[in-house]
Amino acid sequence: MAKFRKLLFLRHCKSYHQLINCLLLLIIAFFCYRMSINCQHGLLPTKPQVVITSVAKTRPAQQLSKDHILGTQLKSNLSVVTESTPSSFDTLSLPRLMSCQKPALKSIIVAEKTIPLMTVAKCIKFCWSETALYAALFNGSSCYCTNVHGSGNLDKDSNCNVACRGDLALRCGGSDQWMFYKIAEADGERGWTTWMSYGRTEKDMNVYRTRYRGCPGDKRSRRSCLVHLHKSGSAVKTNGSPLIIDHFIGCFTNQAWDLPDNRLILAKYSVNTTQDCITSCQTIGSLYSILNVKNCICSNSLGWSRPIDTCVYGYGALVFSTSVLKSDGVTLKFEERLTQRQVAVVAHYRGGSTFASLMFSNYPNSLYVFEPASVFGAVWVGVNNSLARETERSRIFLERIYPLWFKCHAQDLPGIWLTKYPGWGNHNSGFSVFNSCKKAVGSLTGAYKCSAFIEEKCLISPVVAAKTTRMVHSQNVKRFAQIETDIHVLHAFRDPRAQLSSRAQLELVYRKNQLSHLTTSCWELNELSTVFNDDLKDAPNTHVVHYEDLARDVISSAKQIYREMNFTLPGEVIRTLQESTGKGKVKKAEKKYAYGTIKNDPTSLIDSWKKKLNHSMVNIADNSTECRKLFAKYPDKFKPLRDMSS
């Protein structure tokens, strides 16, 4: 009785004394159960609603698709939308679960509501009615709508464990966590783009603005599309006439116009007014006139520009049609992505990843991010086991963060990533315009607005790369490499004893229990070496580089990796690698960065561990099963201490 009552609709019986009604309902329930009919909502027609189901706990790797990587279905104990949705949500793979994270700043909330009988579907519908991009659930009954993917550190999925008040089978956030769903797009295809304000000062915001939709969002191919242009605001005149709004398309990112030898630029002029720019481009017959700072650019394509609403802050280019806009829309032309290689450098902590990343972070016009995994913060409550913590973190990171980065979906990245990590030190490359824009606009909302510059940079950079440590659980890396075959995964590998010695110089915890740390390192490296040297040995997108080889001859190692990627090593990268290592001597300037494995003579670091580690502990570790297994795999790279000359 209790089972049928919970699963079906005996809750409609006011009392068990209504024996006839309840017996009838039981008969119907039994019939539905035997016939596999979904009678959960009764026999009467109901309004369409989002159907939420729980994802199975396990799924064979070969059945995974790229949709899983972007979060359509996540291998976790959270509930996600997996079935058809009402027409109002008729967008591909939406809604989709994005993250479980610490509470967001109140400043990003568009609307909020507390619903006594909360469900995921009710929150999504409410936020959709508020035209928000995200719906966040909290503590079983609270719903928040935002246009930014939160602002707190990402948390483990199982901490979003508070049941929905309206459906105890589902989860609606945590007691101190928000559970974010992406419910709408601002991509200009399925959803409206951001509003794009006309003008060059903040006073111009909302005076006149535009947005569009109807253009396919595939950034990999060239496309031309007739879009619906939505206009809002009052008429704007410049120097009397004509009305500039008759030509204004919007505000777009403008980094691509500074590319050397940009073939899309038909002419460039220095002008005083917007009208002068339009007239000049009309004269040569171009489709667009682009006011980029004080330069007027004439072009028949918008290139790789992304819609943005920062022109009023001085960031971006105002784009006009040289002909008067028609009421039914305007034709927009974009170019295919220029990226030639995408590279993910993975390594264990102090494994040589920074050294290896120099091969790509210094590629001309590259986009490179250093340690994006920091979005998780230092501590996870309830996870005391470091292996369990890093296993879960690497799964979330490789499934939800890396793909967004490499696929140029910067505006979907967690808010904390946009506000904090692109500006970390001098290690990142390609973020200068974004960081300047973010500073000018201010606040987390500004970081979100300016993120379109990251998307454009991602589209025009020949190399898009990232490196991370502590996010390299072997099976998660394996699955990522199998699914994302267009991304090269480079494993930076280092002698576990040298790795521990380097760690111990920086953190006290590694100076204790050296035996345990060494055997654990051997186990970790064995796991990854099995993936790269056995499971994915023939995969064209996986590569291994040894720190020791880099230290002895960085140029030869770099050339080998580039050959494997079928890519040409440019002279700029060779010069940077030579300057960084100086044939064994590093510039003094490098020493200011304490964490750099290249701050000293790289060759001297290969065996320096012999002077720093406890030899008795090393000998015991060398005889452990895991370390002996590792030495057997790489007899030409690593040897037990007893077999090495003093």
Side-chain angles (χ1 to χ4, degrees):
M1 175 73 73
K3 182 176 181 180
F4 279 116
R5 181 179 177 84
K6 180 178 179 181
L7 293 177
L8 299 164
F9 41 78
L10 282 181
R11 59 182 179 272
H12 297 301
C13 293
K14 301 295 183 181
S15 166
Y16 284 108
H17 296 295
Q18 299 174 336
L19 183 60
I20 297 177
N21 288 337
C22 290
L23 285 175
L24 286 173
L25 288 173
L26 275 175
I27 293 171
I28 295 172
F30 181 76
F31 171 78
C32 293
Y33 173 77
R34 292 300 301 268
M35 299 300 292
S36 298
I37 298 175
N38 181 7
C39 301
Q40 182 174 356
H41 301 292
L43 299 179
L44 297 177
T46 59
K47 294 181 180 180
Q49 55 185 303
V50 179
V51 180
I52 312 291
T53 63
S54 297
V55 179
K57 292 184 178 179
T58 59
R59 181 185 294 272
Q62 64 269 23
Q63 293 183 15
L64 292 170
S65 68
K66 289 195 175 185
D67 283 341
H68 286 74
I69 282 293
L70 289 176
T72 304
Q73 294 178 351
L74 302 174
K75 182 183 158 187
S76 70
N77 65 337
L78 290 173
S79 302
V80 298
V81 176
T82 59
E83 296 187 25
S84 60
T85 58
S87 58
S88 58
F89 295 113
D90 191 19
T91 54
L92 182 63
S93 74
L94 292 179
R96 66 173 179 263
L97 179 67
M98 298 297 286
S99 68
C100 174
Q101 59 176 268
K102 291 296 183 179
L105 297 173
K106 294 292 184 180
S107 60
I108 71 170
I109 298 174
V110 175
E112 59 183 291
K113 189 174 185 179
T114 299
I115 303 175
L117 296 179
M118 176 67 74
T119 65
V120 176
K122 288 178 181 178
C123 181
I124 289 173
K125 288 180 180 180
F126 168 66
C127 291
W128 196 89
S129 69
E130 296 292 330
T131 66
L133 299 179
Y134 297 92
L137 296 111
F138 169 66
N139 206 26
S141 61
S142 296
C143 176
Y144 299 100
C145 312
T146 74
N147 287 323
V148 183
H149 184 190
S151 61
N153 287 321
L154 300 192
D155 209 332
K156 62 175 182 175
D157 288 350
S158 56
N159 275 345
C160 280
N161 56 7
V162 177
C164 300
R165 301 289 174 82
D167 191 335
L168 298 180
L170 303 178
R171 299 292 176 261
C172 286
S175 58
D176 189 38
Q177 293 81 16
W178 288 19
M179 184 174 170
F180 275 87
Y181 282 88
K182 180 72 179 290
I183 64 170
E185 297 282 7
D187 58 0
E189 179 183 8
R190 295 164 290 184
W192 291 104
T193 64
T194 182
W195 282 108
M196 299 173 284
S197 302
Y198 172 82
R200 284 294 184 182
T201 67
E202 290 186 58
K203 294 181 180 179
D204 298 323
M205 293 194 73
N206 299 324
V207 173
Y208 186 74
R209 54 186 188 162
T210 61
R211 60 181 181 173
Y212 71 83
R213 70 179 177 188
C215 190
D218 185 3
K219 302 180 181 72
R220 295 169 297 178
S221 59
R222 188 179 184 186
R223 58 203 186 280
S224 175
C225 35
L226 179 64
V227 302
H228 177 55
L229 192 66
H230 185 190
K231 306 173 185 179
S232 174
S234 57
V236 178
K237 291 186 178 182
T238 300
N239 293 337
S241 62
L243 292 175
I244 297 303
I245 61 172
D246 292 339
H247 296 264
F248 180 61
I249 296 175
C251 173
F252 289 79
T253 56
N254 58 347
Q255 296 167 105
W257 302 118
D258 294 327
L259 289 176
D261 303 321
N262 190 327
R263 58 182 173 79
L264 301 179
I265 299 178
L266 302 180
K268 183 183 290 188
Y269 305 99
S270 179
V271 298
N272 295 319
T273 68
T274 301
Q275 184 56 52
D276 289 342
C277 183
I278 295 175
T279 302
S280 298
C281 294
Q282 285 174 335
T283 302
I284 68 169
S286 68
L287 292 176
Y288 309 110
S289 55
I290 301 163
L291 196 60
N292 186 29
V293 191
K294 288 189 176 181
N295 288 321
C296 173
I297 296 172
C298 304
S299 179
N300 287 328
S301 173
L302 296 182
W304 305 269
S305 298
R306 305 296 300 151
I308 197 169
D309 194 24
T310 56
C311 283
V312 294
Y313 299 97
Y315 289 87
L318 295 170
V319 176
F320 302 87
S321 170
T322 54
S323 58
V324 175
L325 295 173
K326 298 179 180 180
S327 59
D328 58 348
V330 60
T331 298
L332 302 182
K333 293 185 178 182
F334 297 96
E335 303 300 312
E336 65 181 338
R337 186 179 181 182
L338 296 179
T339 303
Q340 300 174 52
R341 293 295 181 275
Q342 302 172 79
V343 184
V345 180
V346 298
H348 287 290
Y349 177 43
R350 307 302 294 162
S353 57
T354 301
F355 199 177
S357 296
L358 287 176
M359 292 186 284
F360 308 102
S361 62
N362 290 283
Y363 196 98
N365 198 36
S366 66
L367 179 63
Y368 167 77
V369 65
F370 176 88
E371 298 289 6
S374 301
V375 295
F376 294 104
V379 178
W380 270 5
V381 176
V383 183
N384 297 320
N385 181 282
S386 60
L387 178 60
R389 179 178 66 249
E390 300 310 334
T391 299
E392 174 70 358
R393 288 187 175 191
S394 70
R395 183 189 66 77
I396 294 173
F397 182 75
L398 292 172
E399 285 186 351
R400 307 180 201 172
I401 307 299
Y402 252 14
L404 293 173
W405 165 253
F406 284 110
K407 295 177 187 301
C408 307
H409 292 290
Q411 292 181 320
D412 283 339
L413 287 166
I416 191 171
W417 192 97
L418 295 174
T419 55
K420 186 174 182 180
Y421 297 103
W424 186 345
N426 298 316
H427 301 284
N428 299 319
S429 60
F431 290 95
S432 58
V433 176
F434 166 75
N435 285 327
S436 297
C437 174
K438 181 173 65 172
K439 184 177 180 180
V441 180
S443 76
L444 176 57
T445 301
Y448 171 75
K449 280 189 174 184
C450 297
S451 63
F453 282 111
I454 300 178
E455 293 193 352
E456 181 194 31
K457 185 66 177 178
C458 183
L459 295 174
I460 63 177
S461 296
V463 169
V464 176
K467 85 98 174 176
T468 188
T469 61
R470 313 189 208 200
M471 294 291 124
V472 287
H473 181 264
S474 59
Q475 292 308 306
N476 292 330
V477 171
K478 176 181 176 181
R479 183 170 61 174
F480 175 80
Q482 288 176 322
I483 295 173
E484 300 296 343
T485 55
D486 54 344
I487 299 175
H488 291 272
V489 184
L490 174 64
H491 176 211
F493 200 110
R494 192 179 188 184
D495 187 312
R497 296 159 298 188
Q499 187 171 273
L500 175 61
S501 175
S502 183
R503 293 176 180 179
Q505 292 181 63
L506 299 172
E507 297 185 38
L508 179 63
V509 65
Y510 290 106
R511 299 172 195 172
K512 303 175 181 179
N513 301 320
Q514 290 186 359
L515 175 60
S516 174
H517 288 307
L518 279 173
T519 54
T520 298
S521 291
C522 287
W523 176 82
E524 291 173 338
L525 292 171
N526 266 317
E527 290 289 297
L528 272 181
S529 66
T530 299
V531 169
F532 281 87
N533 294 351
D534 298 330
D535 300 346
L536 302 179
K537 182 179 180 180
D538 298 323
N541 68 321
T542 59
H543 316 271
V544 175
V545 62
H546 291 266
Y547 172 84
E548 291 75 17
D549 292 338
L550 282 171
R552 293 188 180 97
D553 191 342
V554 66
I555 304 302
S556 294
S557 297
K559 287 181 178 179
Q560 175 61 32
I561 293 299
Y562 269 71
R563 278 195 298 269
E564 292 179 12
M565 295 183 181
N566 194 26
F567 204 32
T568 302
L569 180 66
E572 293 91 335
V573 174
I574 292 176
R575 285 192 292 273
T576 299
L577 293 174
Q578 289 173 333
E579 291 172 0
S580 299
T581 56
K583 295 183 178 180
K585 294 182 179 180
V586 180
K587 290 183 175 181
K588 292 182 180 179
E590 291 290 338
K591 295 186 178 182
K592 65 182 180 181
Y593 179 53
Y595 283 79
T597 53
I598 57 174
K599 61 182 170 58
N600 296 309
D601 177 357
T603 56
S604 70
L605 297 179
I606 295 176
D607 293 331
S608 63
W609 58 268
K610 289 192 290 184
K611 300 177 181 179
K612 299 175 181 178
L613 297 183
N614 183 307
H615 280 207
S616 61
M617 293 295 99
V618 171
N619 281 319
I620 296 174
D622 284 351
N623 286 319
S624 68
T625 301
E626 292 299 332
C627 290
R628 283 192 287 109
K629 186 187 301 183
L630 186 66
F631 296 152
K633 288 182 179 179
Y634 302 100
D636 57 330
K637 303 289 184 185
F638 314 129
K639 294 180 180 179
L641 179 62
R642 65 177 182 276
D643 295 340
M644 300 176 69
S645 58
S646 59

